[in-house]
Each structure stands twice: as C-alpha cells, then as structure tokens.
Amino acid sequence: GFNHSAVTTTSGEIFCWGNNYSGCCGALPHVRFCYEPHNIRCIYERPANIALGRNATMSSVYNGRGAYLAVDGNLDGDMEEFCCSTQSESQPWFEIDLGEFAIIQTLKIWNRNDEPEDPAFDRDMFRERLFPCYLILSQTRLPTGRKVGAHEEAGSAVASGKTNLQACLDVSKCRMKLTKLQRCSTWHVPNNTMARYIRVQLEGFTYLHFAQLEVFGTLGINKP
C-alpha cells in the first residue's frame, strides 16, 4: 500500500518499511517511519556469523599468528599467514568470547590447507594436526590452566587434579569431538543452545592451527 510494505524471504524472515504507525512495521513505536527494511526479529531472524571480529584468545601464539586471524572472515587456509597458530604444547586451545549470551545454531571450522614445502613430509601433515579436536560451548568462563603469580587461578585444571581439556568438558553446555580429516567441519548444535564462550581444543601435544571459526546464531537469549 501507500503507507507501508512487507516482504518475506526464502529463509522465512519478514522485512517491513514505510509508515510505522503503532509499530506496524515491527520497529519501536517511537520510530515514525522506517526508511530501510526492518526485520521483525520476534518472528524469525536468520542466524549470522556472530564470531566475526569478536574477542578471541589462544593458549599461546606462534610466530605472530594470533587468534584474530580466525575471526577476520578470511576462509583461505592455503597460506600459513592466513591461519592462527599456537606453539607446540599440551592440549592447545583457541577461544572466542561473544561478550554476551547467544543462541547458537551451527559452528564451522575451516582447516589449514597448505602443504609442507619439504617433500619428505606427509602432504597432510598440517591438516592432520587439527584432528581429533573438541568444539566446546559454555555459558561460564572456561578454565585456562594458566598460573597467576605464584598461585594457580581459581577453578583451574591443575587445582582440581584434572587435565585442562577434561575440566572444560565438565563445565561445558555441549561439546562435539571432530575426528574426520576435512577442509571444513560443520557441527549443528542441539536446538536452542545458549552459550557465550566457544572453544576449540586438542587432546595431545601439538600445534593448533586453522583458518577460521564461524559461529552462526543470534545474539541475546531469545531463540531466532
């Protein structure tokens, strides 16, 4: 009509724009006119990559390959400088703090894809290091196992007599163990899973490196 318009997308979202009389476009009532299409979130909001640009940390950093490289949106794993990497250590980990609770739908982890220059090494040497690994979702801060001064941090793995990985699994909301070697691994998490912290962690003593971790969901405690 002349006052407002609406469209529905193939994914099920509804966008409205125009005169927002009494909030008929789904925007707040004080908004008199929607100049751009406004998504009515209470009906449906398509999950987006909410990990993009978020605060990310790692158990250690190798050669300047910091955690930010895994949340910059670049899926290219064909070169070492595009991938985050830890030092070779026991149960290395990578973690994203979303800053608030979110409803998580899908996780995608993009593996490193280049090959060693020395033909004496196995072609899959870099790719194999990611597996097996655990994807861990948690509502509370996960233990890091790092020492704070002369004292171990509260609730740490050492203080509890557990390995860091086991301590994280115990407090997790849900987790998945990935074992199949592939370029992109996808995990569809249980419905309506709410979490704030997302961790990738290995079992053994090795390097942890990969190209990107995508977390598809919606911020807030309401399901999309």
Side-chain angles (χ1 to χ4, degrees):
F2 293 103
N3 290 321
H4 62 267
S5 301
V7 296
T8 180
T9 68
T10 55
S11 62
E13 294 175 299
I14 293 181
F15 289 87
C16 295
W17 66 95
N19 192 338
N20 189 47
Y21 179 75
S22 298
C24 63
C25 286
L28 294 175
H30 72 270
V31 179
R32 300 186 62 183
F33 196 92
C34 295
Y35 291 93
E36 296 182 357
H38 176 81
N39 181 23
I40 305 179
R41 296 185 65 225
C42 63
I43 296 179
Y44 179 71
E45 182 180 13
R46 183 176 58 179
N49 180 18
I50 55 178
L52 194 63
R54 295 286 173 175
N55 181 39
T57 55
M58 303 172 71
S59 53
S60 63
V61 177
Y62 171 76
N63 198 24
R65 311 288 190 245
Y68 69 94
L69 290 169
V71 290
D72 63 356
N74 186 3
L75 306 180
D76 188 358
D78 290 335
M79 300 182 69
E80 178 186 356
E81 54 263 35
F82 296 150
C83 302
C84 67
S85 180
T86 68
Q87 302 281 354
S88 180
E89 58 186 349
S90 177
Q91 297 182 346
W93 53 265
F94 166 93
E95 183 176 303
I96 298 174
D97 178 3
L98 296 175
E100 60 178 298
F101 287 123
I103 303 297
I104 311 298
Q105 184 184 79
T106 305
L107 266 65
K108 288 186 177 182
I109 184 167
W110 296 81
N111 199 0
R112 183 175 171 178
N113 202 40
D114 58 317
E115 300 177 0
E117 295 181 0
D118 190 340
F121 292 108
D122 183 28
R123 293 179 59 185
D124 286 333
M125 183 179 73
F126 296 146
R127 290 184 283 265
E128 288 176 341
R129 286 175 176 168
L130 186 58
F131 302 98
C133 76
Y134 283 89
L135 299 180
I136 302 171
L137 300 181
S138 176
Q139 296 180 353
T140 59
R141 189 178 299 276
L142 294 165
T144 63
R146 293 170 175 165
K147 291 185 177 180
V148 181
H151 304 283
E152 196 72 27
E153 65 177 340
S156 69
V158 174
S160 63
K162 302 176 182 178
T163 65
N164 181 260
L165 176 58
Q166 187 58 55
C168 293
L169 294 175
D170 288 347
V171 301
S172 66
K173 181 68 176 177
C174 58
R175 63 267 192 186
M176 169 64 72
K177 184 178 182 180
L178 303 177
T179 58
K180 184 178 180 181
L181 174 62
Q182 52 191 4
R183 168 74 169 112
C184 178
S185 300
T186 302
W187 175 30
H188 299 288
V189 307
N191 288 337
N192 301 324
T193 297
M194 183 175 65
R196 172 175 171 174
Y197 302 94
I198 298 95
R199 177 175 288 198
V200 180
Q201 190 158 7
L202 302 185
E203 290 182 319
F205 194 99
T206 183
Y207 295 91
L208 170 62
H209 46 57
F210 59 92
Q212 198 76 188
L213 178 62
E214 295 182 300
V215 181
F216 292 93
T218 53
L219 294 173
I221 61 175
N222 297 317
K223 65 180 181 179

